[in-house]
Amino acid sequence: MKLGVNIDHIAVLKAARKVGDPDVLQAVFVAAQNGADQITIHLREDRRHIDDYDAKRIVANSPIAVNMECAFGVIDEVLKLRPFRATLVPEKREEVTTEGGLDLEKHFARIKRTVERLKEADIAVSLFVEPSKAAADLALRSGADMIELHTGRFSNLWAALYGVLARTPYAPNDLTALNGGDLKREIDREIKKIKKTAAFARELGLQVAAGHGLNYHNVAAIAAIEAIEELNIGQSIVARAIWTGFGVAAREMAQLIAACRPR
Ligand code: PXP
């Protein structure tokens, strides 16, 4: 199981003051020395955290593979930067973070063309999708190498049941109506969906990653799914880094994931 450490939230801190501190490139080296197999960054169209200067230095200097999340609007920049992999994600200006997977059916032609352009430039391609067999099928037909399964709903359900999410002002509306029993059942359903899709996609020959909202409490359920070979995790590692330091936080996540793998 590979761990992709997403360092966008270090860039969020940098963007809060706009004086170049903390340096995201330093985070790349610390993560690489502490169990990360890959660095994940999201070059957003509005450049609200990772900017072109960060992206260029990270791709040029990272000792480990760089996975760049991107929407259609930045593909020309990604083609120039040439990271190891591009993960296509949907993007909305007003969202706090990526809210869902790609609508492969609606945007199939554009996604297929984009996959072709990226692959011609020798950039591996992953598609961020909601867990479903239909999405895996379409991803294969698009020519992508990999799918990344969106674990956002699983993570939100988990946070509503075991954390404080349901009591906060930003609790998703569909979660506040659910009681403890409902949440448990929904979590089980979501895990089954992720597991089935991962196994199906792997049978098709796709590589399978997962990510979004994973943390030290909920990651075991996803890391235990054999067909998933990579997790991309950011916010929880950077949040823990405030208390432990970034290196310790990355290492603890890498060790936790390794301990949860099926033997
Ligand atoms: N994977 C994808 C495709 C994402 O968009 C994100 C968030 O940038 C992550 C993984 C990491 O999510 P988190 O920061 O919640 O761990």
Side-chain angles (χ1 to χ4, degrees):
M1 165 73 76
K2 288 188 177 155
L3 170 62
V5 173
N6 179 318
I7 58 170
D8 292 346
H9 287 85
I10 293 181
V12 167
L13 195 54
K14 182 188 63 112
R17 203 40 81 83
K18 298 191 167 47
V19 291
D21 179 39
D23 183 358
V24 286
L25 186 57
Q26 195 166 348
V28 171
F29 293 114
V30 175
Q33 282 159 6
N34 286 281
D37 301 290
Q38 167 176 289
I39 288 296
T40 295
I41 52 176
H42 187 170
L43 186 66
R44 291 188 76 98
E45 289 169 1
D46 62 10
R47 309 295 199 272
R48 70 168 77 149
H49 42 54
I50 294 287
D51 57 31
D52 299 76
Y53 173 70
D54 297 329
K56 197 171 167 185
R57 287 161 73 233
I58 290 168
V59 174
N61 295 294
S62 176
I64 51 180
V66 177
N67 171 36
M68 195 172 292
E69 296 173 16
C70 53
F72 291 128
V74 297
I75 295 301
D76 287 343
E77 284 88 337
V78 175
L79 286 167
K80 278 186 222 138
L81 289 163
R82 299 175 64 116
F84 167 71
R85 188 196 299 130
T87 296
L88 285 181
V89 299
E91 206 172 291
K92 285 189 231 148
R93 281 286 153 98
E94 66 281 12
E95 70 190 359
V96 175
T97 180
T98 317
E99 283 170 355
L102 291 162
D103 187 337
L104 287 176
E105 218 170 284
K106 190 166 165 196
H107 302 294
F108 185 75
R110 195 172 183 195
I111 289 171
K112 189 165 184 287
R113 257 196 330 273
T114 306
V115 171
E116 280 162 10
R117 287 182 72 202
L118 290 162
K119 295 198 71 165
E120 270 166 26
D122 255 343
I123 301 169
V125 185
S126 179
L127 303 181
F128 188 51
V129 298
E130 296 300 322
S132 80
K133 286 186 174 180
D137 255 331
L138 287 168
L140 182 77
R141 280 175 40 204
S142 78
D145 307 283
M146 182 176 224
I147 53 171
E148 177 170 339
L149 301 175
H150 184 215
T151 52
R153 179 164 166 76
F154 158 77
S155 300
N156 278 344
L157 288 162
W158 189 285
L161 182 61
Y162 299 111
V164 295
L165 180 61
R167 290 191 289 279
T168 64
Y170 30 84
N173 285 337
D174 61 325
L175 295 186
T176 44
L178 301 178
N179 64 30
D182 292 337
L183 287 167
K184 269 203 183 110
R185 272 187 297 280
E186 283 294 307
I187 289 170
D188 282 350
R189 271 185 43 186
E190 206 56 36
I191 293 172
K192 275 192 194 124
K193 211 165 24 156
I194 293 168
K195 200 170 175 176
K196 263 193 187 163
T197 308
F200 178 73
R202 228 209 7 216
E203 267 172 37
L204 292 180
L206 290 164
Q207 294 167 272
V208 185
H212 212 283
L214 298 178
N215 60 38
Y216 298 82
H217 307 288
N218 66 19
V219 75
I222 304 299
I225 299 173
E226 198 176 0
I228 296 178
E229 59 196 87
E230 173 185 306
L231 298 179
N232 289 299
I233 307 180
Q235 189 274 333
S236 62
I237 296 176
V238 177
R240 179 173 286 219
I242 293 172
W243 319 118
T244 65
F246 187 56
V248 172
R251 179 151 296 284
E252 283 178 351
M253 184 57 86
Q255 287 169 343
L256 186 54
I257 288 171
C260 296
R261 290 304 279 168
R263 285 166 210 282

